[in-house]
Amino acid sequence: MEHFEKAVFGFADCEKGARALAKEMALPFGLVDVHSFPDGESRVTVPISATGAILYRPLHQPNSKIFEVIQAASALRDNGAKTINFVCPYLPYMRQDKVFHAGEALSQKVFGDVISPWMDAIITVEPHLHRTRTMDKVFSNTNGVALSGGLAMADYYRKHGFDKSTLVLGPDEEAWHTAKPFAEALGLEWTAALKDRKGDRTVVVTIENTDLKGRPVIIVDDVISSGMTVFEATKNAYDLGAKSVEVAAVHALFNDHTHEALKHAGVSWVISCDGVPHFSNKIPLAPIIAKALKR
Ligand code: R5P
């Protein structure tokens, strides 16, 4: 097997992002092969080896991917990897960061405990660090790096232009994490709505004490999944007189049906970072990830 000092490894479902990172870092790329057996098990094969391996995979729809990533890490170690930096632009299970109801597993901790032993470092973008504030609380004994998706999105707007009267709206109390740095980087006013989640697809969003009349609004969030948070925030913004609403999200997990519903509610444009491959991707993350890996 051909051996390199450093190389980037990625899977077919995230090949574009992994190759972009390899290109950005001027490193060789190895496409990890996953063979699915009829019984649902998978066999993972690495095509090349490297002393310093950078393993790339966002973990949306995570369950089978997690075990394939661990198999890839094991194969890389068996073939001479001394360090493995796991680039996981989207970290799963971060929203189950507490036991909400008696008897539930603390998924965030379980995930961290499963992944940590295999990796020397975990590099991600805008993880949902809410009640758990730092990466080391999730991944013990592993160096965790959380990059700002809000700043990456602000860079995009700076390059492409924006209306200076825009109000940046974070759709919930966690907005300080993504919407605040986004707004501050662009010198825009921002506010956070209040959100009460009643179920997976039921949320109530309230915007208080903010003058939206005649102003463009950009709703900025870390994740769009069912889309209900953004949907409700959009309806509220229009009810309060917003001139237009567009949406910028770090991680887009929503489907076509949700996109149609958002357009129907008056969202003119949805853009996202390309950590999770999605039709709304506009903002490349390879430059900031490469910079973090070079540090
Ligand atoms: C919440 O904690 C996050 O910041 C997002 O607002 C939320 O996960 C979005 O979920 P959905 O699109 O299903 O409302």
Side-chain angles (χ1 to χ4, degrees), residues 118-138:
W118 294 95
M119 311 299 176
D120 294 276
I122 295 167
I123 295 95
T124 191
V125 181
E126 208 70 51
H128 193 83
L129 292 171
H130 180 208
R131 280 162 285 259
T132 308
R133 288 287 172 118
T134 53
M135 292 278 280
D136 61 322
K137 297 278 185 313
V138 184

Side-chain angles (χ1 to χ4, degrees), residues 73-84:
S74 173
L76 289 168
R77 297 270 184 215
D78 290 347
N79 286 281
K82 297 268 183 286
T83 61
I84 302 178

Side-chain angles (χ1 to χ4, degrees), residues 228-242:
M228 288 317 292
T229 300
V230 166
F231 183 82
E232 291 298 325
T234 301
K235 280 202 316 194
N236 269 268
Y238 278 120
D239 285 350
L240 293 169

Side-chain angles (χ1 to χ4, degrees), residues 95 128 172 174 195 197 221-223 225-229:
R95 288 178 288 174
H128 193 83
D172 53 36
E174 295 150 30
K195 179 166 82 180
R197 184 174 284 284
D221 207 356
D222 55 349
V223 186
S225 175
S226 72
M228 288 317 292
T229 300

